[in-house]
Coordinates of all heavy atoms in Angstrom, one line a residue:
H406 N 136.1 71.2 -2.9 CA 136.2 69.8 -3.5 C 135.8 68.8 -2.5 O 135.6 69.0 -1.3 CB 137.7 69.6 -4.0 CG 138.0 70.3 -5.3 ND1 138.1 71.6 -5.4 CD2 138.2 69.7 -6.5 CE1 138.4 71.9 -6.7 NE2 138.4 70.8 -7.4
Q407 N 135.6 67.5 -3.1 CA 135.3 66.4 -2.3 C 136.6 65.7 -1.8 O 137.4 65.3 -2.7 CB 134.4 65.4 -3.0 CG 134.0 64.2 -2.2 CD 133.3 64.5 -1.0 OE1 132.3 65.2 -1.0 NE2 133.7 63.9 0.2
Y408 N 136.7 65.4 -0.5 CA 137.9 64.8 0.0 C 137.5 63.5 0.8 O 136.5 63.4 1.3 CB 138.7 65.7 0.9 CG 139.2 67.0 0.3 CD1 138.4 68.1 0.2 CD2 140.5 67.0 -0.3 CE1 138.8 69.3 -0.4 CE2 140.9 68.2 -0.9 CZ 140.1 69.3 -0.9 OH 140.6 70.4 -1.6
Y409 N 138.5 62.6 0.8 CA 138.3 61.3 1.5 C 139.6 61.0 2.3 O 140.7 61.3 1.8 CB 138.0 60.1 0.6 CG 136.8 60.3 -0.2 CD1 136.8 60.8 -1.5 CD2 135.5 59.9 0.3 CE1 135.6 60.9 -2.2 CE2 134.4 60.0 -0.4 CZ 134.4 60.5 -1.7 OH 133.2 60.6 -2.4
I410 N 139.4 60.4 3.5 CA 140.6 59.9 4.2 C 140.5 58.4 4.3 O 139.4 57.9 4.6 CB 140.6 60.5 5.6 CG1 140.9 62.0 5.6 CG2 141.7 59.8 6.5 CD1 141.0 62.7 6.9
Y411 N 141.6 57.8 3.9 CA 141.6 56.3 3.9 C 142.4 55.8 5.1 O 143.6 56.3 5.3 CB 142.2 55.8 2.6 CG 142.4 54.3 2.6 CD1 141.3 53.5 2.3 CD2 143.5 53.6 3.0 CE1 141.4 52.1 2.3 CE2 143.7 52.3 3.0 CZ 142.6 51.5 2.7 OH 142.7 50.1 2.7
P412 N 141.9 54.9 6.0 CA 140.6 54.3 5.8 C 139.6 54.9 6.8 O 138.4 54.5 6.7 CB 140.9 52.9 6.3 CG 142.0 53.1 7.4 CD 142.8 54.2 6.9
Y413 N 139.9 55.9 7.6 CA 138.9 56.4 8.5 C 139.2 57.9 8.7 O 140.3 58.4 8.6 CB 138.9 55.7 9.9 CG 140.2 55.9 10.6 CD1 140.3 56.9 11.5 CD2 141.2 55.0 10.5 CE1 141.5 57.1 12.2 CE2 142.4 55.1 11.2 CZ 142.6 56.2 12.1 OH 143.7 56.4 12.8
K414 N 138.1 58.6 9.2 CA 138.2 60.0 9.5 C 137.9 60.2 11.0 O 137.0 59.7 11.5 CB 137.2 60.8 8.6 CG 137.2 62.3 8.9 CD 136.2 63.0 8.0 CE 134.8 63.0 8.6 NZ 134.7 63.9 9.7
L415 N 138.7 61.0 11.6 CA 138.5 61.3 13.0 C 137.1 62.0 13.2 O 136.8 62.9 12.4 CB 139.6 62.2 13.6 CG 141.0 61.6 13.6 CD1 142.0 62.6 14.1 CD2 141.0 60.4 14.6
Y416 N 136.4 61.7 14.2 CA 135.1 62.3 14.4 C 135.2 63.8 14.7 O 134.2 64.5 14.5 CB 134.3 61.6 15.5 CG 135.0 61.6 16.8 CD1 134.9 62.6 17.7 CD2 135.8 60.5 17.2 CE1 135.5 62.6 18.9 CE2 136.5 60.5 18.4 CZ 136.3 61.6 19.3 OH 137.0 61.6 20.5
S417 N 136.3 64.2 15.2 CA 136.5 65.6 15.6 C 137.1 66.4 14.5 O 137.4 67.6 14.7 CB 137.3 65.7 16.8 OG 138.6 65.2 16.6
L418 N 137.4 65.9 13.3 CA 138.1 66.6 12.3 C 137.2 67.6 11.6 O 136.1 67.2 11.1 CB 138.6 65.6 11.2 CG 139.8 66.1 10.3 CD1 141.0 66.3 11.1 CD2 140.0 65.0 9.2
P419 N 137.6 68.9 11.6 CA 136.6 69.9 11.0 C 136.8 70.2 9.5 O 136.1 71.0 9.0 CB 137.0 71.1 11.8 CG 138.5 71.0 12.1 CD 138.7 69.5 12.2
F420 N 137.8 69.5 8.9 CA 138.0 69.9 7.4 C 136.7 69.6 6.6 O 136.1 68.6 6.7 CB 139.2 69.0 6.9 CG 140.5 69.3 7.6 CD1 141.3 68.2 7.9 CD2 140.9 70.5 8.0 CE1 142.5 68.4 8.5 CE2 142.1 70.8 8.6 CZ 142.9 69.7 8.9
A421 N 136.4 70.6 5.8 CA 135.2 70.6 5.0 C 135.2 69.5 3.9 O 136.2 69.1 3.4 CB 135.0 72.0 4.4
N422 N 134.0 69.0 3.7 CA 133.8 68.0 2.6 C 134.7 66.8 2.7 O 135.2 66.4 1.7 CB 133.9 68.7 1.2 CG 133.0 69.9 1.0 OD1 131.8 69.8 1.5 ND2 133.4 70.9 0.4
T423 N 134.9 66.3 3.9 CA 135.8 65.2 4.1 C 135.1 64.0 4.7 O 134.4 64.2 5.7 CB 137.0 65.6 5.0 OG1 137.7 66.8 4.4 CG2 138.0 64.5 5.2
D424 N 135.2 62.9 4.0 CA 134.5 61.7 4.5 C 135.6 60.6 4.6 O 136.7 60.7 4.1 CB 133.4 61.2 3.5 CG 132.3 62.2 3.4 OD1 131.9 62.7 4.4 OD2 131.9 62.5 2.2
S425 N 135.2 59.5 5.3 CA 136.0 58.3 5.5 C 135.8 57.4 4.2 O 134.7 57.2 3.8 CB 135.6 57.6 6.7 OG 136.3 56.4 6.8
L426 N 136.9 57.0 3.7 CA 136.8 56.1 2.5 C 137.0 54.7 2.9 O 138.0 54.2 3.2 CB 137.9 56.5 1.5 CG 137.9 55.7 0.2 CD1 136.6 55.9 -0.6 CD2 139.1 56.0 -0.7
T427 N 135.9 54.0 2.9 CA 135.9 52.5 3.3 C 135.4 51.6 2.1 O 135.6 50.4 2.2 CB 134.9 52.3 4.5 OG1 133.6 52.8 4.1 CG2 135.4 53.1 5.7
D428 N 134.9 52.2 1.1 CA 134.4 51.5 0.0 C 134.6 52.3 -1.3 O 134.2 53.4 -1.4 CB 132.9 51.2 0.1 CG 132.3 50.3 -0.9 OD1 133.0 50.1 -2.0 OD2 131.3 49.7 -0.7

Side-chain angles (χ1 to χ4, degrees):
H406 280 71
Q407 178 62 53
Y408 297 90
Y409 298 95
I410 292 181
Y411 177 83
Y413 65 89
K414 180 179 84 75
L415 296 174
Y416 58 87
S417 61
L418 200 66
F420 299 138
N422 301 323
T423 301
D424 297 316
S425 175
L426 181 62
T427 56
D428 186 342

